[in-house]
Amino acid sequence: MGCSNCGTSKGGKPTGCKSNGGCSTGGCNRLNVYDWLANLPFSDPESGCRIVEVSFNQGSRKDYYRNATPQVFDKGDMVTVEGVSGFDVGEVTLTGEIVRLQLKKRGIEERNPDTRKILRRATDKDLEILQQNKSRERDALIRSRAIARQLKLDMKMSEVEIQADGRKATFFYIADDRVDFRELIKLYAGEFRLKVEMRQIGARQEAAKVGGIGSCGRELCCSTWLSDFKSVNTTAARYQNLSINQSKLSGQCGRLKCCLNYELDTYLDALQNFPENAETLQVAKGTANLIKKDIFKNLMWYVLPDSNKQYPLTIERVRKIRQLNMQNNIPDSLDPVEVSTGKPKETEETGFVDLVGQISLKTLEKADRKKKHGHHKQASQPGRDGSQGGRDGGSQGGRDGGAQGGRGGGPGGKDGGGGRDGGGRGRGGPGQAPPPQGGGKRR
């Protein structure tokens, strides 16, 4: 996966990240190593390491070569090195004192006479031949899979890497059992006209060659910087209180994630402070069984029989109960501590006014008005004899004072409007109507 910041200028140096031959993000070269000793001065430059680390196929394979030439190579230079019955072209990834640390890590002797040499700086012709042979790898992989399927071999071809000069090809395959590929090598040699080397790899190495994005959102560790694959088992997940879910604990290779071992040592160091042989505690209610340990809060969670409730206990309380049990004393209760489930909300003074609840939608206001209007209609209908005042002066009040008498009978007052003389009686309403100002009689 190439770095999007890198761009080539006229002088051949990157213009994006300004690292002068080496990508600072590490995306242009897989398994990239940062040379943190590059800017440190040394008293004797002649005693510097003459071994150079060279990567091939965008960092999927690395090897170490001796610089027998008087030239000085920097990180990012393309060099031509000794290959199998020919030459190969790779990219310089490390030089100087940091290479000695890598050699010591891999157990390689610096003065080994069998170390291959760097021939020269890669020329334009070497790079042209490299591009021509690299373009054949995709077709060779498809054809090799078809031939293996015809022979009915239980194997999966993962990648084909052709040497820069086109004289040798390395076929990487995955197989659960041992495969007899003697006939397969003969067919490959006759089909591709080159020397064939078969190399078996595991599922983790295949994921490193293919690459991808992990569940954490970052590029896979095996395809960027991780080169040593250690065994991972479910015990690492149990120490970290992770649920044993195979789908969540497995990576894209189908094996357990390598990152399960990253924090395992920290958990093991923290678990040393917890008391041993405290899986069960004897209390008055029965035997409390340990279900988990929380190293972040230094708590141990227990559960009592015939109950699903979990009780968190401090380390000191567990040790005290353990000592009482050893003295044949049984405490009355576990005395659990209170654990807050959530963090308290922090209120920040932003200077803004909270308008929630003060804004109402117009559609809701219209609906409320319709509801209120409907209730008024239903309340006014049963008061025909009082609210509307009758035909003889109750509906509009009449000139003789029935208007105000009719208003008084709206909710149904005793002396409300609506009588035949302009101030008739209403039905079923509280209060009294105002005195008539017309010809209505007050009864």
Side-chain angles (χ1 to χ4, degrees), residues 6-28:
C6 291
T8 305
S9 63
K10 294 182 180 180
K13 294 183 178 181
T15 59
C17 55
K18 304 292 184 180
S19 59
N20 297 328
C23 179
S24 59
T25 60
C28 294

Side-chain angles (χ1 to χ4, degrees), residues 317 319-331:
R317 178 58 181 171
R319 289 175 178 171
K320 185 176 181 180
I321 296 177
R322 185 65 181 169
Q323 292 177 359
L324 292 175
N325 292 153
M326 294 177 65
Q327 298 174 3
N328 296 327
N329 294 329
I330 298 178

Side-chain angles (χ1 to χ4, degrees), residues 26-80:
C28 294
N29 186 15
R30 289 182 290 180
L31 304 178
N32 188 56
V33 178
Y34 180 73
D35 190 1
W36 53 275
L37 295 175
N39 298 325
L40 295 180
F42 294 96
S43 59
D44 188 8
E46 297 296 332
S47 63
C49 184
R50 302 293 297 177
I51 305 297
V52 178
E53 184 186 72
V54 182
S55 66
F56 304 91
N57 198 14
Q58 294 183 353
S60 62
R61 179 174 62 89
K62 288 186 177 182
D63 207 344
Y64 297 92
Y65 295 85
R66 185 179 303 277
N67 183 13
T69 64
Q71 298 178 350
V72 178
F73 300 106
D74 296 328
K75 183 178 180 181
D77 293 341
M78 301 298 294
V79 294
T80 302

Side-chain angles (χ1 to χ4, degrees), residues 233-244 249 260-261 263-272 274 279 291-296:
N233 49 28
T234 56
T235 307
R238 291 190 177 93
Y239 279 125
Q240 302 177 46
N241 291 328
L242 298 177
S243 60
I244 309 302
L249 297 180
L260 291 176
N261 286 336
E263 299 179 356
L264 181 59
D265 294 338
T266 304
Y267 278 84
L268 292 178
D269 292 341
L271 289 174
Q272 293 180 358
F274 286 78
E279 285 75 14
I291 55 175
K292 67 176 181 179
K293 299 178 182 179
D294 191 347
I295 68 170
F296 299 104

Side-chain angles (χ1 to χ4, degrees), residues 106-306:
R106 298 176 182 270
I108 302 176
E109 293 292 336
E110 182 180 353
R111 303 185 182 276
N112 188 5
D114 297 333
T115 303
R116 296 178 181 177
K117 301 178 181 180
I118 296 178
L119 300 178
R120 59 185 179 274
R121 192 183 299 271
T123 61
D124 294 339
K125 186 177 180 180
D126 295 338
L127 297 177
E128 184 180 356
I129 296 174
L130 174 65
Q131 294 297 330
Q132 292 177 1
N133 292 319
K134 287 298 179 182
S135 61
R136 299 169 49 194
E137 292 181 352
R138 181 176 178 83
D139 297 336
L141 178 61
I142 297 174
R143 182 57 183 162
S144 63
R145 289 176 176 175
I147 295 175
R149 192 179 300 109
Q150 291 176 1
L151 296 178
K152 297 181 180 180
L153 297 178
D154 188 10
M155 59 186 300
K156 175 185 176 183
M157 301 303 301
S158 176
E159 186 182 10
V160 177
E161 182 181 348
I162 300 178
Q163 196 171 267
D165 57 356
R167 296 184 180 181
K168 175 195 171 185
T170 305
F171 294 84
F172 298 93
Y173 70 95
I174 299 175
D176 296 333
D177 299 327
R178 187 174 180 180
V179 180
D180 185 9
F181 45 75
R182 290 176 293 181
E183 185 67 23
L184 182 65
I185 292 178
K186 295 179 181 179
L187 295 177
Y188 282 174
E191 179 73 21
F192 304 113
R193 304 288 182 180
L194 40 74
K195 186 176 180 179
V196 177
E197 179 184 353
M198 303 295 296
R199 185 174 298 179
Q200 185 177 1
I201 60 176
R204 300 181 188 272
Q205 287 81 1
E206 183 191 18
K209 291 181 177 296
V210 174
I213 304 298
S215 59
C216 58
R218 299 174 63 91
E219 194 174 354
L220 297 180
C221 297
C222 55
S223 63
T224 52
W225 62 272
L226 186 62
S227 58
D228 298 332
F229 300 100
K230 298 181 179 179
S231 60
V232 186
N233 49 28
T234 56
T235 307
R238 291 190 177 93
Y239 279 125
Q240 302 177 46
N241 291 328
L242 298 177
S243 60
I244 309 302
N245 191 340
Q246 193 70 19
S247 60
K248 292 184 178 180
L249 297 180
S250 300
Q252 294 188 4
C253 58
R255 304 294 190 271
L256 293 177
K257 295 179 181 179
C258 298
C259 55
L260 291 176
N261 286 336
Y262 293 169
E263 299 179 356
L264 181 59
D265 294 338
T266 304
Y267 278 84
L268 292 178
D269 292 341
L271 289 174
Q272 293 180 358
N273 298 326
F274 286 78
E276 298 179 357
N277 300 326
E279 285 75 14
T280 59
L281 298 177
Q282 299 293 332
V283 292
K285 295 183 178 180
T287 303
N289 296 318
L290 177 66
I291 55 175
K292 67 176 181 179
K293 299 178 182 179
D294 191 347
I295 68 170
F296 299 104
K297 297 180 180 180
N298 289 330
L299 296 178
M300 302 177 67
W301 296 75
Y302 287 85
V303 61
L304 291 173
D306 300 334

